[in-house]
Amino acid sequence: MNIILNIQRYNPDVDDAPHFKEYEVEVGPNQRLLDALMQVKRFQDGSLGFRKSCAHGVCGSDAMRINGKDGLACKTLIKEVAQKDGDTVTLEPLRYMPVQRDLIVNQAEFFKKYRSVKPFLINDESVAEKERIQSQDERMQFDDTTNCILCASCYSACPVLQDNSDFLGPAAIAQAYRFIADTRDRGFGERLAVLDQVDGVWPCQNHFKCTQSCPRSILITKRINQTKRLIEKHKQKKGDN
Ligand code: SF4
Ligand code: FES
């Protein structure tokens, strides 16, 4: 069938403002949206800018707004966004990050927030045996969060960031949880300095938009709430002493 891709275009070198341009492409219902974009890039307009690499939902580079919802072009089938000949699919860059060109955004702020939670295992204690042992149950407390591909779909989907650009955002908090819930980690205190701030974990209002947008099915909102509870528990314990 033939569908229309209505794509936001913006080249800061020549355009005063973003505008939309339509492209007609012939695609099958089981093809992926990324295939349609590649068709435009290869055969209609080589100047179209978008990121992609693995084409299999692993690298996280082709996240964008697809008909107003955030997701990966390579994980979206045409039949999920267009049902019949002539249907239009609107594509925009992710929100809350400056557009570099067309569907490409500058992710510097997103990664700065991610790095601020120290997303790595912190533990200076010596290891008794060869490795730090962890039970399956302990691992399952945070297992889903290890699947993050840093696509920033959740960040763009978050309604809180619309009014508060300083909010740490869902991906960074989920990654903070990934380590503070890890029985082998000792970095809770260090991460607390970032999480327990007015723009840290607290602005989350449980909209669940991040969870709905995540292509890796990470329980982001739940993990954010668990992080809040761990902080409260920590403060309570401190107050008791
Ligand atoms: S939590 Fe999900 S939506 Fe957010 S960056 Fe990671 S993979 Fe993407
Ligand atoms: S191209 Fe790698 S996740 Fe889509």
Side-chain angles (χ1 to χ4, degrees):
M1 64 181 170
N2 284 357
I3 64 164
I4 310 296
L5 293 187
N6 183 33
I7 305 177
Q8 182 176 309
R9 303 294 312 265
Y10 179 57
N11 177 351
D13 292 336
V14 295
D15 297 328
D16 291 334
H19 58 279
F20 283 89
K21 193 169 173 187
E22 291 189 346
Y23 301 90
E24 188 172 339
V25 285
E26 193 183 341
V27 280
N30 290 320
Q31 276 189 281
R32 297 159 314 163
L33 186 56
L34 183 60
D35 299 325
L37 272 169
M38 289 305 295
Q39 212 184 109
V40 173
K41 177 89 180 165
R42 282 183 182 139
F43 305 113
Q44 295 189 40
D45 190 343
S47 72
L48 177 64
F50 60 93
R51 287 196 183 100
K52 65 110 193 158
S53 181
C54 71
H56 290 286
V58 178
C59 72
S61 60
D62 64 338
M64 56 188 72
R65 300 270 293 169
I66 305 162
N67 285 345
K69 288 185 178 162
D70 305 85
L72 301 174
C74 68
K75 291 270 281 180
T76 304
L77 296 178
I78 295 297
K79 65 184 176 192
E80 294 171 331
V81 287
Q83 281 70 47
K84 57 182 189 319
D85 241 17
D87 275 0
T88 296
V89 181
T90 298
L91 301 177
E92 299 163 278
L94 295 180
R95 302 190 296 177
Y96 317 135
M97 290 169 273
V99 177
Q100 285 182 318
R101 186 184 176 118
D102 301 334
L103 300 172
I104 301 171
V105 293
N106 182 336
Q107 299 165 302
E109 187 66 17
F110 171 76
F111 281 107
K112 189 175 157 199
K113 290 175 179 176
Y114 167 66
R115 280 194 299 271
S116 76
V117 302
K118 300 182 190 276
F120 43 83
L121 195 88
I122 299 173
N123 191 337
D124 291 337
E125 296 165 8
S126 55
V127 184
E129 293 177 35
K130 272 189 189 165
E131 55 190 330
R132 300 182 199 279
I133 306 294
Q134 184 169 62
S135 72
Q136 278 188 11
D137 277 353
E138 287 169 340
R139 167 74 186 198
M140 290 318 289
Q141 299 307 310
F142 61 87
D143 190 62
D144 59 322
T145 56
T146 65
N147 293 325
C148 178
I149 53 173
L150 295 172
C151 67
S153 290
C154 56
Y155 192 83
S156 174
C158 176
V160 175
L161 277 156
Q162 195 150 26
D163 301 319
N164 179 4
S165 60
D166 292 330
F167 173 42
L168 196 51
I173 301 172
Q175 285 315 296
Y177 177 83
R178 181 257 171 271
F179 289 99
I180 61 180
D182 190 324
T183 49
R184 300 164 300 181
D185 188 86
R186 300 289 178 269
F188 184 68
E190 289 180 49
R191 295 189 189 94
L192 198 64
V194 178
L195 295 168
D196 189 21
Q197 293 294 332
V198 66
D199 296 318
V201 72
W202 305 112
C204 173
Q205 298 163 354
N206 287 310
H207 290 278
F208 278 86
K209 296 287 180 193
C210 54
T211 306
Q212 289 158 9
S213 75
C214 180
R216 306 290 290 187
S217 305
I218 296 171
L219 305 170
I220 309 172
T221 316
K222 180 178 176 180
R223 300 314 184 196
I224 293 173
N225 284 323
Q226 285 174 305
T227 305
K228 286 180 178 176
R229 282 199 289 276
L230 283 170
I231 295 172
E232 274 160 0
K233 214 167 132 187
H234 171 82
K235 283 177 162 177
Q236 217 171 27
K237 214 167 141 192
K238 237 175 122 188
D240 289 348
N241 290 332

